Amino acid sequence: MRSNRAKVRAGLSMAATLPMLAGALALGIPAAHAADHPLRDLLAGTKPAWATARADQGAASDGAGVSARVYLRGRDAAGLAAYAQAVSDPKSASYGKYLTAKQAKARFGATKAQVAAVKSWLTAAGLKVTGVTAHYVSVTGDVAAAEKAFGAQLHDFAKGSKTYRAPASTASVPASLADAVLTVTGLDNAPHMVTHDDQLPPPDTVFRNAGPFSSYYGSKTASTLPDAYGTKIPYAIKGYTGKQLRAAYGAGTRTGKGVRVAITDAYASPTIAYDAATYAGKHGDAVWKTGQLHQVLPKKYTDTKACSASGWYGEETLDVEAVHAVAPASDVTYVGAASCNDSDLLDALGKVVDHHLADIVSNSWGEVEAAQTPDLAAAYDQVFQLGAVEGIGFYFSSGDDGDEVASSGTKQVDSPANSAWVTAVGGTSLAVGKDDTYLWETGWGTEKATQSADGKSWTDFPGAFTSGAGGGTSRTVAEPWYQKGRVPGALAKANSADGNRVVPDIAAIADPNTGFLVGQTQTLPDGRTQAYGEYRIGGTSLAAPTIAAIQALAQEARGGTPIGFANPAIYSKAGSKAYHDVTDDPTGSGLAVARVDFVNGYDATGGLATSVRSLGKDSSLSAVRGYDDVTGVGTPASGYVESYRRR
C-alpha cells in the first residue's frame, strides 16, 4: 500500500541564478510583454501543461481571490548543493562534518534583505503578506494584483469537465529578485487548493485477510488446489512480524537505541498510540516507553475528501509499527501534513529539517515523474540538501506499479524517489522459513490468476500483472555522482547518452503476499462501531520504513553518529557481502503462493475468491545479478548493519 499525492499541483518554478540588484524593483510590467522584458526573470514551468490555447476560456475576473507562496532561494544555492555532497561522501574530507539546523540556516538560508525585498515587491503589487517561514513568503490578494506581481495574465482554462484558473504565459519576477526567488505556487486554482474542513473522518471500513495462511514461508501447503509451475504451492504468509524481519535483515542485538526516526504522511490516525501499543504487546515487540512516540501535527487539515484522508491512517500505522518492530528502541516522531498536496508535504519535511526532528526520515508517498516539473523538483531538493548538511537522510518508497505503464500508459519512475538527494527504496518478495531463517528474495512483481470454475486449474495462468516495485530510469534527473560506475550503462543511458538517475538504490520486503502484519482500529461494516483488528499489508510503503529502521540500527552500530544522506555509503558497499543480491529466480524454478480472499474484504458473507500469485514478475523490470532497477544494490544481509561500525 502506498499513498499518492494529489495529481494536480500548483506550478512551481526555478528562477535563473542572477546577481541581486540593489535599488528600485521592476513592477507593473505589462503581462503580454513579461517574457521579453529585460528586467524580468522567467519562472519556467509556472504555466501548467493543461493551460493550453485550446482550453483557454478567457481572462479570469480581476477581483477573484488568489493565495500563493513565493519560495525563497537562499543565499548560496550552489554552495548548499556542494556541501551536501561533501558531507555525504565517505571519500570527502568533509564527510560527516554536519551543521546544526541553526548553522545551516545561517549559512544557506534566505537573508533578511532577501525576505524584505520579496515582501516589498509583493506588497507594492497589491498583495498582502500572510506569513513568512524559513522557506517561503505566503500572500493573498486578487487576480489583478497577482498579474501585476508575476507579469502574466491569469485565464480560465477547461480541464476535463471543469474550469480552473492558471497563468496564460510563464510567470516572472523582477530581475533584481532572481537570486532570492526559487519558485511560486498557487497561481492556478486546480483542486489541490485548501479547503476549510478541519475535521478528520473516521477510519476506513475494516479490511481483513481470509485464510488459510502460512506462518512462515512454506509452512502450509495448498494441497487441495491446482499445481503451479509443476508443484504444489504454499499459502500466502499471514503476515511477518518484527522478529522475522529483524532476523532476515541481520539486526542482531541492535535496537536503534538513541536514534531518532521521523515519518511523514498526510493527516494523522486518531488511534495510532493505542494501535501501536496493542500491536507491540500482541507480537512480542518491545513496549513503547513514555515519550518514545511523538506527533507533530498541523493546526488544521484540508482537502480531506479529495485526499481520502482516512486512507492515510493505514499508511501511518504501517510506518510506525514497522519502524518499531525492526528498531524497537528508536525514538519515533510522526510528522503529519495538513493534506496530500505538495505544499503541505513540503511543510512537513521542512519541519523535520528546520527543527532537526530526526536523523532518518521515512516517506511512503509519491507520484509519477511526469506529474512533477523541474521547478517543483528544485523545491524538494532544497529541503533534501538542507537535510543532508545537517546529517538527515530521506528514504522514499519507489512505487507500487512497476514501470508505471499499466497505470499511466508511460514507462517512468516516481517522484520524489527520483531525486538525486534521497534514498529510493525498492521492493522484494521475502521468504523467511522455520526458526526465522532467511531463505531467499525475489524482486517484487505479481501476476494473478484465479481458480477455474471446476476448481481443477488456474484460469489463464500465470495471469495479469497486478503490482510490483517501482523502478527504472529517470527522464529528468541527471545521473548522480554516486551511481556512476556502479549502475549498468544500459540502465543509466536508457533515456540519454549523458546518463540519468536510476531508481531504486536499495530494497526490502514489499510484496503483500509475503507482507507484514499490522494492527489498526477500523470501522466495522455497520458504519458505527470501531474495533482493533489485524491484516497483512505490503507495498514499498513497507519497504521504506523497514529500511529506515535498519538504518537506525546501522547508526547505532556506528556509535550514534548520523549516517546522513546514505546513498554514497550504500553504493560504496555494492557487490559486497553486506547485501543479498536479489534476482527474480532465486530457486531456479517458478515461484508462487495461493491466496484465499474475502470478496467483500472483511468476511465470508460475500463469498471467497481463490487465486495464485506468481512472484518475481515486475512488469518490464527485472531483478538480476548486481545492480538492477527493481532492488537497486540489493537488500541488507547479516553484515550490513555492522558494516557501518567504525573500525
Side-chain angles (χ1 to χ4, degrees), residues 499-534:
N500 290 89
R501 165 88 158 112
V502 185
V503 174
D505 301 303
I506 195 170
I509 178 174
D511 185 354
N513 301 294
T514 65
F516 179 67
L517 192 67
V518 299
Q520 181 188 3
T521 297
Q522 296 177 302
T523 302
L524 298 184
D526 63 17
R528 298 184 300 274
T529 309
Q530 294 181 15
Y532 174 89
E534 296 184 344

PDB file of all heavy atoms in Angstrom, residues 499-534:
ATOM      1  N   GLY A 499      23.445  10.017 -19.453  1.00  0.00           N
ATOM      2  CA  GLY A 499      23.135   9.256 -18.253  1.00  0.00           C
ATOM      3  C   GLY A 499      22.147   9.956 -17.351  1.00  0.00           C
ATOM      4  O   GLY A 499      22.155  11.182 -17.228  1.00  0.00           O
ATOM      5  N   ASN A 500      21.275   9.182 -16.718  1.00  0.00           N
ATOM      6  CA  ASN A 500      20.258   9.716 -15.809  1.00  0.00           C
ATOM      7  C   ASN A 500      20.204   8.891 -14.526  1.00  0.00           C
ATOM      8  O   ASN A 500      20.740   7.791 -14.441  1.00  0.00           O
ATOM      9  CB  ASN A 500      18.876   9.710 -16.468  1.00  0.00           C
ATOM     10  CG  ASN A 500      18.758  10.728 -17.576  1.00  0.00           C
ATOM     11  OD1 ASN A 500      19.061  10.440 -18.730  1.00  0.00           O
ATOM     12  ND2 ASN A 500      18.320  11.921 -17.248  1.00  0.00           N
ATOM     13  N   ARG A 501      19.534   9.449 -13.551  1.00  0.00           N
ATOM     14  CA  ARG A 501      19.295   8.793 -12.272  1.00  0.00           C
ATOM     15  C   ARG A 501      18.504   7.510 -12.501  1.00  0.00           C
ATOM     16  O   ARG A 501      17.527   7.502 -13.257  1.00  0.00           O
ATOM     17  CB  ARG A 501      18.504   9.748 -11.375  1.00  0.00           C
ATOM     18  CG  ARG A 501      17.858   9.132 -10.134  1.00  0.00           C
ATOM     19  CD  ARG A 501      18.815   9.136  -8.985  1.00  0.00           C
ATOM     20  NE  ARG A 501      18.150   9.060  -7.689  1.00  0.00           N
ATOM     21  CZ  ARG A 501      18.229   7.998  -6.881  1.00  0.00           C
ATOM     22  NH1 ARG A 501      18.886   6.913  -7.253  1.00  0.00           N
ATOM     23  NH2 ARG A 501      17.647   8.038  -5.687  1.00  0.00           N
ATOM     24  N   VAL A 502      18.911   6.423 -11.851  1.00  0.00           N
ATOM     25  CA  VAL A 502      18.181   5.164 -11.917  1.00  0.00           C
ATOM     26  C   VAL A 502      17.652   4.847 -10.526  1.00  0.00           C
ATOM     27  O   VAL A 502      18.325   5.063  -9.518  1.00  0.00           O
ATOM     28  CB  VAL A 502      19.070   4.012 -12.436  1.00  0.00           C
ATOM     29  CG1 VAL A 502      18.243   2.735 -12.605  1.00  0.00           C
ATOM     30  CG2 VAL A 502      19.713   4.390 -13.769  1.00  0.00           C
ATOM     31  N   VAL A 503      16.437   4.366 -10.475  1.00  0.00           N
ATOM     32  CA  VAL A 503      15.731   4.042  -9.235  1.00  0.00           C
ATOM     33  C   VAL A 503      15.462   2.540  -9.209  1.00  0.00           C
ATOM     34  O   VAL A 503      15.133   1.956 -10.261  1.00  0.00           O
ATOM     35  CB  VAL A 503      14.402   4.826  -9.175  1.00  0.00           C
ATOM     36  CG1 VAL A 503      13.553   4.420  -7.992  1.00  0.00           C
ATOM     37  CG2 VAL A 503      14.673   6.335  -9.152  1.00  0.00           C
ATOM     38  N   PRO A 504      15.580   1.864  -8.031  1.00  0.00           N
ATOM     39  CA  PRO A 504      15.858   2.387  -6.695  1.00  0.00           C
ATOM     40  C   PRO A 504      17.343   2.283  -6.343  1.00  0.00           C
ATOM     41  O   PRO A 504      18.166   1.924  -7.193  1.00  0.00           O
ATOM     42  CB  PRO A 504      15.037   1.457  -5.801  1.00  0.00           C
ATOM     43  CG  PRO A 504      15.154   0.124  -6.510  1.00  0.00           C
ATOM     44  CD  PRO A 504      15.142   0.446  -7.980  1.00  0.00           C
ATOM     45  N   ASP A 505      17.648   2.536  -5.050  1.00  0.00           N
ATOM     46  CA  ASP A 505      19.012   2.429  -4.548  1.00  0.00           C
ATOM     47  C   ASP A 505      19.219   1.157  -3.728  1.00  0.00           C
ATOM     48  O   ASP A 505      20.287   0.545  -3.774  1.00  0.00           O
ATOM     49  CB  ASP A 505      19.350   3.651  -3.686  1.00  0.00           C
ATOM     50  CG  ASP A 505      19.209   4.943  -4.468  1.00  0.00           C
ATOM     51  OD1 ASP A 505      19.874   5.070  -5.509  1.00  0.00           O
ATOM     52  OD2 ASP A 505      18.414   5.815  -4.055  1.00  0.00           O
ATOM     53  N   ILE A 506      18.237   0.779  -2.965  1.00  0.00           N
ATOM     54  CA  ILE A 506      18.284  -0.378  -2.073  1.00  0.00           C
ATOM     55  C   ILE A 506      16.859  -0.898  -1.957  1.00  0.00           C
ATOM     56  O   ILE A 506      15.927  -0.257  -2.452  1.00  0.00           O
ATOM     57  CB  ILE A 506      18.860   0.041  -0.693  1.00  0.00           C
ATOM     58  CG1 ILE A 506      19.269  -1.174   0.154  1.00  0.00           C
ATOM     59  CG2 ILE A 506      17.896   0.967   0.047  1.00  0.00           C
ATOM     60  CD1 ILE A 506      20.059  -0.806   1.403  1.00  0.00           C
ATOM     61  N   ALA A 507      16.650  -2.043  -1.348  1.00  0.00           N
ATOM     62  CA  ALA A 507      15.297  -2.605  -1.303  1.00  0.00           C
ATOM     63  C   ALA A 507      15.080  -3.401  -0.026  1.00  0.00           C
ATOM     64  O   ALA A 507      16.018  -3.702   0.722  1.00  0.00           O
ATOM     65  CB  ALA A 507      15.052  -3.495  -2.523  1.00  0.00           C
ATOM     66  N   ALA A 508      13.816  -3.736   0.201  1.00  0.00           N
ATOM     67  CA  ALA A 508      13.419  -4.578   1.330  1.00  0.00           C
ATOM     68  C   ALA A 508      12.046  -5.152   1.023  1.00  0.00           C
ATOM     69  O   ALA A 508      11.440  -4.866  -0.020  1.00  0.00           O
ATOM     70  CB  ALA A 508      13.407  -3.789   2.639  1.00  0.00           C
ATOM     71  N   ILE A 509      11.520  -5.922   1.927  1.00  0.00           N
ATOM     72  CA  ILE A 509      10.224  -6.578   1.781  1.00  0.00           C
ATOM     73  C   ILE A 509       9.128  -5.598   1.358  1.00  0.00           C
ATOM     74  O   ILE A 509       8.980  -4.519   1.924  1.00  0.00           O
ATOM     75  CB  ILE A 509       9.825  -7.273   3.101  1.00  0.00           C
ATOM     76  CG1 ILE A 509       8.446  -7.932   2.980  1.00  0.00           C
ATOM     77  CG2 ILE A 509       9.891  -6.304   4.275  1.00  0.00           C
ATOM     78  CD1 ILE A 509       8.061  -8.758   4.198  1.00  0.00           C
ATOM     79  N   ALA A 510       8.358  -6.003   0.356  1.00  0.00           N
ATOM     80  CA  ALA A 510       7.257  -5.153  -0.111  1.00  0.00           C
ATOM     81  C   ALA A 510       6.042  -5.950  -0.579  1.00  0.00           C
ATOM     82  O   ALA A 510       4.912  -5.482  -0.449  1.00  0.00           O
ATOM     83  CB  ALA A 510       7.733  -4.247  -1.249  1.00  0.00           C
ATOM     84  N   ASP A 511       6.248  -7.128  -1.112  1.00  0.00           N
ATOM     85  CA  ASP A 511       5.155  -7.918  -1.674  1.00  0.00           C
ATOM     86  C   ASP A 511       4.068  -8.177  -0.631  1.00  0.00           C
ATOM     87  O   ASP A 511       4.333  -8.768   0.415  1.00  0.00           O
ATOM     88  CB  ASP A 511       5.721  -9.247  -2.177  1.00  0.00           C
ATOM     89  CG  ASP A 511       4.691 -10.109  -2.902  1.00  0.00           C
ATOM     90  OD1 ASP A 511       3.504  -9.746  -2.927  1.00  0.00           O
ATOM     91  OD2 ASP A 511       5.097 -11.163  -3.426  1.00  0.00           O
ATOM     92  N   PRO A 512       2.822  -7.753  -0.887  1.00  0.00           N
ATOM     93  CA  PRO A 512       1.737  -8.021   0.072  1.00  0.00           C
ATOM     94  C   PRO A 512       1.498  -9.510   0.314  1.00  0.00           C
ATOM     95  O   PRO A 512       0.943  -9.885   1.353  1.00  0.00           O
ATOM     96  CB  PRO A 512       0.512  -7.377  -0.593  1.00  0.00           C
ATOM     97  CG  PRO A 512       1.066  -6.381  -1.549  1.00  0.00           C
ATOM     98  CD  PRO A 512       2.360  -6.951  -2.031  1.00  0.00           C
ATOM     99  N   ASN A 513       1.925 -10.358  -0.617  1.00  0.00           N
ATOM    100  CA  ASN A 513       1.746 -11.802  -0.448  1.00  0.00           C
ATOM    101  C   ASN A 513       2.760 -12.395   0.525  1.00  0.00           C
ATOM    102  O   ASN A 513       2.587 -13.512   1.005  1.00  0.00           O
ATOM    103  CB  ASN A 513       1.851 -12.492  -1.809  1.00  0.00           C
ATOM    104  CG  ASN A 513       0.827 -11.976  -2.784  1.00  0.00           C
ATOM    105  OD1 ASN A 513      -0.362 -12.165  -2.604  1.00  0.00           O
ATOM    106  ND2 ASN A 513       1.289 -11.291  -3.823  1.00  0.00           N
ATOM    107  N   THR A 514       3.819 -11.674   0.785  1.00  0.00           N
ATOM    108  CA  THR A 514       4.793 -12.061   1.813  1.00  0.00           C
ATOM    109  C   THR A 514       4.964 -10.872   2.755  1.00  0.00           C
ATOM    110  O   THR A 514       6.070 -10.548   3.165  1.00  0.00           O
ATOM    111  CB  THR A 514       6.152 -12.445   1.188  1.00  0.00           C
ATOM    112  OG1 THR A 514       6.741 -11.291   0.560  1.00  0.00           O
ATOM    113  CG2 THR A 514       5.990 -13.537   0.151  1.00  0.00           C
ATOM    114  N   GLY A 515       3.860 -10.215   3.055  1.00  0.00           N
ATOM    115  CA  GLY A 515       3.906  -8.913   3.716  1.00  0.00           C
ATOM    116  C   GLY A 515       4.016  -8.936   5.228  1.00  0.00           C
ATOM    117  O   GLY A 515       4.336  -9.946   5.850  1.00  0.00           O
ATOM    118  N   PHE A 516       3.710  -7.791   5.798  1.00  0.00           N
ATOM    119  CA  PHE A 516       3.867  -7.520   7.228  1.00  0.00           C
ATOM    120  C   PHE A 516       2.482  -7.450   7.870  1.00  0.00           C
ATOM    121  O   PHE A 516       1.536  -6.926   7.276  1.00  0.00           O
ATOM    122  CB  PHE A 516       4.594  -6.182   7.379  1.00  0.00           C
ATOM    123  CG  PHE A 516       4.836  -5.728   8.791  1.00  0.00           C
ATOM    124  CD1 PHE A 516       5.702  -6.402   9.629  1.00  0.00           C
ATOM    125  CD2 PHE A 516       4.214  -4.580   9.277  1.00  0.00           C
ATOM    126  CE1 PHE A 516       5.952  -5.961  10.921  1.00  0.00           C
ATOM    127  CE2 PHE A 516       4.451  -4.119  10.559  1.00  0.00           C
ATOM    128  CZ  PHE A 516       5.323  -4.812  11.388  1.00  0.00           C
ATOM    129  N   LEU A 517       2.361  -7.966   9.067  1.00  0.00           N
ATOM    130  CA  LEU A 517       1.101  -7.905   9.795  1.00  0.00           C
ATOM    131  C   LEU A 517       1.027  -6.582  10.554  1.00  0.00           C
ATOM    132  O   LEU A 517       1.970  -6.223  11.268  1.00  0.00           O
ATOM    133  CB  LEU A 517       1.009  -9.070  10.777  1.00  0.00           C
ATOM    134  CG  LEU A 517      -0.361  -9.334  11.414  1.00  0.00           C
ATOM    135  CD1 LEU A 517      -1.350  -9.817  10.357  1.00  0.00           C
ATOM    136  CD2 LEU A 517      -0.234 -10.374  12.529  1.00  0.00           C
ATOM    137  N   VAL A 518      -0.068  -5.848  10.378  1.00  0.00           N
ATOM    138  CA  VAL A 518      -0.259  -4.591  11.111  1.00  0.00           C
ATOM    139  C   VAL A 518      -1.547  -4.668  11.918  1.00  0.00           C
ATOM    140  O   VAL A 518      -2.445  -5.455  11.612  1.00  0.00           O
ATOM    141  CB  VAL A 518      -0.317  -3.364  10.177  1.00  0.00           C
ATOM    142  CG1 VAL A 518       0.972  -3.213   9.403  1.00  0.00           C
ATOM    143  CG2 VAL A 518      -1.502  -3.451   9.220  1.00  0.00           C
ATOM    144  N   GLY A 519      -1.635  -3.830  12.943  1.00  0.00           N
ATOM    145  CA  GLY A 519      -2.841  -3.745  13.753  1.00  0.00           C
ATOM    146  C   GLY A 519      -3.378  -2.331  13.751  1.00  0.00           C
ATOM    147  O   GLY A 519      -2.628  -1.377  13.985  1.00  0.00           O
ATOM    148  N   GLN A 520      -4.682  -2.189  13.472  1.00  0.00           N
ATOM    149  CA  GLN A 520      -5.260  -0.863  13.325  1.00  0.00           C
ATOM    150  C   GLN A 520      -6.726  -0.871  13.758  1.00  0.00           C
ATOM    151  O   GLN A 520      -7.453  -1.845  13.520  1.00  0.00           O
ATOM    152  CB  GLN A 520      -5.172  -0.419  11.859  1.00  0.00           C
ATOM    153  CG  GLN A 520      -5.733   0.969  11.583  1.00  0.00           C
ATOM    154  CD  GLN A 520      -5.795   1.275  10.094  1.00  0.00           C
ATOM    155  OE1 GLN A 520      -5.468   0.436   9.266  1.00  0.00           O
ATOM    156  NE2 GLN A 520      -6.217   2.478   9.755  1.00  0.00           N
ATOM    157  N   THR A 521      -7.157   0.207  14.353  1.00  0.00           N
ATOM    158  CA  THR A 521      -8.574   0.385  14.653  1.00  0.00           C
ATOM    159  C   THR A 521      -9.291   0.782  13.373  1.00  0.00           C
ATOM    160  O   THR A 521      -8.904   1.754  12.712  1.00  0.00           O
ATOM    161  CB  THR A 521      -8.770   1.472  15.726  1.00  0.00           C
ATOM    162  OG1 THR A 521      -8.139   1.039  16.933  1.00  0.00           O
ATOM    163  CG2 THR A 521     -10.251   1.711  15.980  1.00  0.00           C
ATOM    164  N   GLN A 522     -10.332   0.036  13.022  1.00  0.00           N
ATOM    165  CA  GLN A 522     -11.064   0.285  11.783  1.00  0.00           C
ATOM    166  C   GLN A 522     -12.564   0.335  12.057  1.00  0.00           C
ATOM    167  O   GLN A 522     -13.040  -0.143  13.091  1.00  0.00           O
ATOM    168  CB  GLN A 522     -10.762  -0.818  10.764  1.00  0.00           C
ATOM    169  CG  GLN A 522      -9.307  -0.866  10.332  1.00  0.00           C
ATOM    170  CD  GLN A 522      -9.035  -2.024   9.384  1.00  0.00           C
ATOM    171  OE1 GLN A 522      -9.265  -3.180   9.716  1.00  0.00           O
ATOM    172  NE2 GLN A 522      -8.564  -1.711   8.200  1.00  0.00           N
ATOM    173  N   THR A 523     -13.282   0.888  11.107  1.00  0.00           N
ATOM    174  CA  THR A 523     -14.733   0.964  11.213  1.00  0.00           C
ATOM    175  C   THR A 523     -15.349  -0.352  10.735  1.00  0.00           C
ATOM    176  O   THR A 523     -15.044  -0.816   9.634  1.00  0.00           O
ATOM    177  CB  THR A 523     -15.275   2.127  10.367  1.00  0.00           C
ATOM    178  OG1 THR A 523     -14.681   3.345  10.806  1.00  0.00           O
ATOM    179  CG2 THR A 523     -16.787   2.235  10.490  1.00  0.00           C
ATOM    180  N   LEU A 524     -16.207  -0.938  11.534  1.00  0.00           N
ATOM    181  CA  LEU A 524     -16.849  -2.200  11.174  1.00  0.00           C
ATOM    182  C   LEU A 524     -17.939  -1.969  10.128  1.00  0.00           C
ATOM    183  O   LEU A 524     -18.365  -0.833   9.898  1.00  0.00           O
ATOM    184  CB  LEU A 524     -17.422  -2.858  12.428  1.00  0.00           C
ATOM    185  CG  LEU A 524     -16.377  -3.237  13.500  1.00  0.00           C
ATOM    186  CD1 LEU A 524     -17.038  -3.964  14.666  1.00  0.00           C
ATOM    187  CD2 LEU A 524     -15.265  -4.094  12.904  1.00  0.00           C
ATOM    188  N   PRO A 525     -18.402  -3.028   9.481  1.00  0.00           N
ATOM    189  CA  PRO A 525     -19.361  -2.872   8.382  1.00  0.00           C
ATOM    190  C   PRO A 525     -20.631  -2.110   8.745  1.00  0.00           C
ATOM    191  O   PRO A 525     -21.287  -1.555   7.856  1.00  0.00           O
ATOM    192  CB  PRO A 525     -19.677  -4.327   8.007  1.00  0.00           C
ATOM    193  CG  PRO A 525     -18.431  -5.067   8.353  1.00  0.00           C
ATOM    194  CD  PRO A 525     -17.945  -4.428   9.614  1.00  0.00           C
ATOM    195  N   ASP A 526     -20.999  -2.060  10.032  1.00  0.00           N
ATOM    196  CA  ASP A 526     -22.215  -1.331  10.386  1.00  0.00           C
ATOM    197  C   ASP A 526     -22.032   0.174  10.277  1.00  0.00           C
ATOM    198  O   ASP A 526     -22.995   0.945  10.385  1.00  0.00           O
ATOM    199  CB  ASP A 526     -22.698  -1.708  11.787  1.00  0.00           C
ATOM    200  CG  ASP A 526     -21.696  -1.338  12.889  1.00  0.00           C
ATOM    201  OD1 ASP A 526     -20.793  -0.517  12.650  1.00  0.00           O
ATOM    202  OD2 ASP A 526     -21.828  -1.879  14.001  1.00  0.00           O
ATOM    203  N   GLY A 527     -20.783   0.615  10.058  1.00  0.00           N
ATOM    204  CA  GLY A 527     -20.513   2.040   9.868  1.00  0.00           C
ATOM    205  C   GLY A 527     -20.443   2.844  11.136  1.00  0.00           C
ATOM    206  O   GLY A 527     -20.121   4.033  11.103  1.00  0.00           O
ATOM    207  N   ARG A 528     -20.747   2.233  12.274  1.00  0.00           N
ATOM    208  CA  ARG A 528     -20.779   2.976  13.534  1.00  0.00           C
ATOM    209  C   ARG A 528     -19.728   2.480  14.530  1.00  0.00           C
ATOM    210  O   ARG A 528     -19.138   3.256  15.257  1.00  0.00           O
ATOM    211  CB  ARG A 528     -22.169   2.861  14.179  1.00  0.00           C
ATOM    212  CG  ARG A 528     -23.289   3.438  13.340  1.00  0.00           C
ATOM    213  CD  ARG A 528     -24.617   3.389  14.084  1.00  0.00           C
ATOM    214  NE  ARG A 528     -25.000   2.015  14.438  1.00  0.00           N
ATOM    215  CZ  ARG A 528     -25.655   1.195  13.627  1.00  0.00           C
ATOM    216  NH1 ARG A 528     -25.994   1.600  12.415  1.00  0.00           N
ATOM    217  NH2 ARG A 528     -25.988  -0.018  14.026  1.00  0.00           N
ATOM    218  N   THR A 529     -19.508   1.190  14.540  1.00  0.00           N
ATOM    219  CA  THR A 529     -18.622   0.583  15.534  1.00  0.00           C
ATOM    220  C   THR A 529     -17.186   0.545  15.031  1.00  0.00           C
ATOM    221  O   THR A 529     -16.933   0.263  13.855  1.00  0.00           O
ATOM    222  CB  THR A 529     -19.079  -0.854  15.847  1.00  0.00           C
ATOM    223  OG1 THR A 529     -20.465  -0.849  16.154  1.00  0.00           O
ATOM    224  CG2 THR A 529     -18.286  -1.422  17.014  1.00  0.00           C
ATOM    225  N   GLN A 530     -16.260   0.845  15.927  1.00  0.00           N
ATOM    226  CA  GLN A 530     -14.847   0.764  15.589  1.00  0.00           C
ATOM    227  C   GLN A 530     -14.173  -0.260  16.498  1.00  0.00           C
ATOM    228  O   GLN A 530     -14.505  -0.364  17.676  1.00  0.00           O
ATOM    229  CB  GLN A 530     -14.169   2.125  15.739  1.00  0.00           C
ATOM    230  CG  GLN A 530     -14.683   3.159  14.748  1.00  0.00           C
ATOM    231  CD  GLN A 530     -13.990   4.496  14.904  1.00  0.00           C
ATOM    232  OE1 GLN A 530     -12.951   4.607  15.536  1.00  0.00           O
ATOM    233  NE2 GLN A 530     -14.573   5.526  14.314  1.00  0.00           N
ATOM    234  N   ALA A 531     -13.230  -1.017  15.928  1.00  0.00           N
ATOM    235  CA  ALA A 531     -12.547  -2.042  16.706  1.00  0.00           C
ATOM    236  C   ALA A 531     -11.156  -2.280  16.145  1.00  0.00           C
ATOM    237  O   ALA A 531     -10.905  -2.086  14.945  1.00  0.00           O
ATOM    238  CB  ALA A 531     -13.341  -3.352  16.692  1.00  0.00           C
ATOM    239  N   TYR A 532     -10.251  -2.695  17.003  1.00  0.00           N
ATOM    240  CA  TYR A 532      -8.889  -3.033  16.597  1.00  0.00           C
ATOM    241  C   TYR A 532      -8.903  -4.371  15.864  1.00  0.00           C
ATOM    242  O   TYR A 532      -9.573  -5.318  16.277  1.00  0.00           O
ATOM    243  CB  TYR A 532      -7.990  -3.132  17.832  1.00  0.00           C
ATOM    244  CG  TYR A 532      -6.583  -3.623  17.553  1.00  0.00           C
ATOM    245  CD1 TYR A 532      -5.572  -2.736  17.223  1.00  0.00           C
ATOM    246  CD2 TYR A 532      -6.277  -4.984  17.623  1.00  0.00           C
ATOM    247  CE1 TYR A 532      -4.278  -3.186  16.963  1.00  0.00           C
ATOM    248  CE2 TYR A 532      -4.995  -5.444  17.367  1.00  0.00           C
ATOM    249  CZ  TYR A 532      -3.994  -4.542  17.037  1.00  0.00           C
ATOM    250  OH  TYR A 532      -2.716  -4.993  16.784  1.00  0.00           O
ATOM    251  N   GLY A 533      -8.177  -4.430  14.769  1.00  0.00           N
ATOM    252  CA  GLY A 533      -8.046  -5.669  14.022  1.00  0.00           C
ATOM    253  C   GLY A 533      -6.693  -5.719  13.347  1.00  0.00           C
ATOM    254  O   GLY A 533      -5.957  -4.726  13.316  1.00  0.00           O
ATOM    255  N   GLU A 534      -6.347  -6.873  12.780  1.00  0.00           N
ATOM    256  CA  GLU A 534      -5.039  -7.029  12.147  1.00  0.00           C
ATOM    257  C   GLU A 534      -5.191  -7.577  10.738  1.00  0.00           C
ATOM    258  O   GLU A 534      -6.108  -8.352  10.447  1.00  0.00           O
ATOM    259  CB  GLU A 534      -4.145  -7.945  12.993  1.00  0.00           C
ATOM    260  CG  GLU A 534      -3.846  -7.348  14.366  1.00  0.00           C
ATOM    261  CD  GLU A 534      -2.892  -8.165  15.201  1.00  0.00           C
ATOM    262  OE1 GLU A 534      -2.682  -9.362  14.862  1.00  0.00           O
ATOM    263  OE2 GLU A 534      -2.369  -7.628  16.188  1.00  0.00           O
TER     264      GLU A 534
END
